[in-house]
Amino acid sequence: MKLSNLFLLLLALPCIVMAGTISPGLLDMELPTLSGDDIGSIRSHLNPGELLVVVLWNSECPDCMENVVQAREVDLAVHNARLLGVCFDYSRWDCLAFTRERGVSYPQLHDTDGLLAAALQAEEMSFTFAILNGDGDLLAIHYDSVDDARTRIEEALTAVRGAESAGSQQRIRTTSLIPAEVDRGARSIMGQKVHRRYPSLKFSGNIKVRQLAVGISDRITDEGGDCGCGLGGPYGESLHPLSDLLYRLTLNVETRLAAGVRAGGMLRISNEDPAILERGPLYLTSKFGSAFIEVRQGDWTGRLGYFSRHLTPLTLQRWDAADNPPSAGSGSSCGVCTGSARALSLEALDDVGPDITMEGALVEGAPCSRLSLVAFYGRLLRQRDWDSFDPDAFRYRRDLLGAGVILKSGLTAWGKAALGFNYVRMADATSSNPWPATMPYTDAHALSRQNEVISANLEGTLPWGTNLNAEFARSFSRTDQAGAHYGEGLTGEAWLCEVSQAIGNGPRVAAAWIGIGRDFRAAYGAMSYQPDTEGPRVQIDYLRTRWGVRLFGKRMTRDRGNWSNSSVPAEKTVTGGLLTIRAAADLDFDLTASRTQSRENCCSSGPDCECNERAWTISARYELARHALMTCEYSRLTGSGDPDVGEAMGDIGSVFVTVDF
């Protein structure tokens, strides 16, 4: 063997596991294509003299899906090879949508039951590739995601070709990690009896540690007390001085009990305040975690235990990044959100995202490529809002029912479209726990609330490449509480319409108009604006390999004539910008600046109050090791109201380390 080939072989050894023979049953196993209009097999893609790279993948991790995209860049002509993708997600429609959206054009099969993945010991991985020769011999196999799948695959192909050129008897034969199932198959296929070993365990999780420090001067309040201008945190919450070292360990355990049946649990160990954890987005009975069991049959899934779900911004969604991007900077990025926005607390270690996690039951399925269905019931442990940090605060159960239907158009040459219908019903079960004698009300039923939201949303791509996202929602709410409505029902509407367009290879522009009716209520909607609010938002992104720029603006107004008895925002404008610089492959810098201006109608006869807040943030993200990231961040906030009072100032500093495993 030439020294150059030997050197390349040594480089590729971490991804080369074995060489052997795959049973004819596996080579001939018939699998549907992702489009569903044909049947294929591995053997049907084998050609004499050519190498076949079989890419096995699912959609459990974004890095692994990026590897699927990177694989299309492999120079197949140089290596005389072909590519074949095999997706082993339970639903092939998710796989199909991903390949169409990302331009993954090489052939794709759907391993419906994960049998091929199990035979190659790849079912616990999200990205695997195997190299076969024209006779179906397994020459090499690689497990786990990589930074650059194209380079990894080409190194393996070069090493395999080098080994072949040295003589067929010198083929790579590292066999210790290859199970006998490769030769036996995975079930009774083509008359061959197969075996699968159950149960199989999978462990994953993460560790988060953050040192957080907040310093605040004084809140701004004018002498008369009619106006109040204060500094806000990153998610609209009020700030207070603190210095904490916070940590959270999350361990996920999953086992496959049988074909299509899996169970597992989540263990959470944290020193975060229980009141912070109970705000969500993980609404669990125990602060230490939860468990689940899941059954999948064909295109249907049923699950008991904890699950994560979101529908749309106006019905069920924790946070809407398009409406409140973290890059908007200060706590005022939320615009005119209420205090009950489905947001995060500065003191929480949760990731920003749309999902809400709850315990209950879920059923979802895709009976055909153009139809998706979901229905769920969740039980959320809640606590009274008036004193959420009181250890004796009243905690009770909240029942949540939801359903969604998505109708998808055919994926055409110019794009796609999907029409969704969603329904969410929330009801307080305040009688689920004894009513504390120290609480200000004595009748638990007098505090029960009900809320129903139904919406229709449309997402699609117009012929000229413009993306459209529109939603209209209608709500019905009822509050049985002394001094409130005594059971009176309120009905309201809300809407949003957004269009976005990429201008060639340059910037991407998105513009939207949002409206929240006076009586619209959505207990778990991401757009928790005050009622009677509407206005536009605009965002411009310009991204390059080593740097990027984002500009964001939003202006929301309210009908002050309807609100003359309290201090409420009449108008609020948020503008912000983000500059991202990639200094090295493992080091990024972000510089964010924002400004918020608001005018409040304090009372029917008093003057308007004007509040101004400015913030800038600098952060550095450094990849300590693979799956380990450290983020250092510092924010400076200043706010002003009445000129006679002066400015309030705040500083937020943090060092955040996350390790995934």
Side-chain angles (χ1 to χ4, degrees), residues 247-249 268-273 277 287-288 349:
Y247 66 83
R248 182 190 295 187
L249 166 65
R268 179 177 61 181
I269 301 175
S270 173
N271 69 340
E272 296 162 90
D273 192 307
L277 296 177
K287 67 178 182 179
F288 296 108
L349 296 179

Side-chain angles (χ1 to χ4, degrees), residues 41-106:
S41 66
I42 293 180
R43 190 181 297 279
S44 66
H45 291 270
L46 295 175
N47 287 326
E50 279 189 339
L51 296 177
L52 178 65
V53 181
V54 181
V55 177
L56 297 101
W57 62 283
N58 62 31
S59 58
E60 290 188 358
C61 78
D63 291 343
C64 310
M65 297 175 74
E66 281 301 314
N67 288 164
V68 177
V69 178
Q70 294 165 356
R72 69 184 180 184
E73 306 297 332
V74 172
D75 194 338
L76 300 174
V78 170
H79 301 281
N80 192 22
R82 305 178 68 189
L83 275 175
L84 172 65
V86 179
C87 175
F88 54 96
D89 266 13
Y90 283 94
S91 173
R92 64 184 174 90
W93 314 120
D94 293 337
C95 301
L96 177 62
F98 173 76
T99 56
R100 293 284 180 88
E101 290 172 2
R102 298 301 301 274
V104 180
S105 58
Y106 53 92

Side-chain angles (χ1 to χ4, degrees), residues 204-209 246-252 266-272 287-289 349 659 661:
S204 63
N206 59 66
I207 300 172
K208 299 179 179 180
V209 181
L246 305 171
Y247 66 83
R248 182 190 295 187
L249 166 65
T250 303
L251 176 63
N252 301 305
M266 172 183 60
L267 173 66
R268 179 177 61 181
I269 301 175
S270 173
N271 69 340
E272 296 162 90
K287 67 178 182 179
F288 296 108
L349 296 179
V659 179
F661 57 89

Side-chain angles (χ1 to χ4, degrees), residues 543-615:
L543 302 178
R544 285 296 179 258
T545 304
R546 301 295 296 271
W547 61 278
V549 175
R550 166 178 290 174
L551 301 176
F552 177 82
K554 178 166 58 177
R555 182 175 184 178
M556 308 303 296
T557 59
R558 302 185 67 196
D559 183 357
R560 292 178 292 166
N562 293 328
W563 306 90
S564 60
N565 59 349
S566 63
S567 175
V568 293
E571 184 177 277
K572 200 158 193 176
T573 302
V574 182
T575 55
L578 166 70
L579 172 64
T580 298
I581 299 175
R582 168 153 288 190
D586 53 4
L587 179 62
D588 294 335
F589 290 96
D590 286 349
L591 178 61
T592 302
S594 70
R595 182 179 181 183
T596 302
Q597 297 173 292
S598 62
R599 188 176 75 255
E600 298 181 357
N601 183 26
C602 300
C603 55
S604 58
S605 59
D608 288 349
C609 296
E610 293 188 2
C611 301
N612 295 278
E613 182 178 343
R614 297 170 300 280

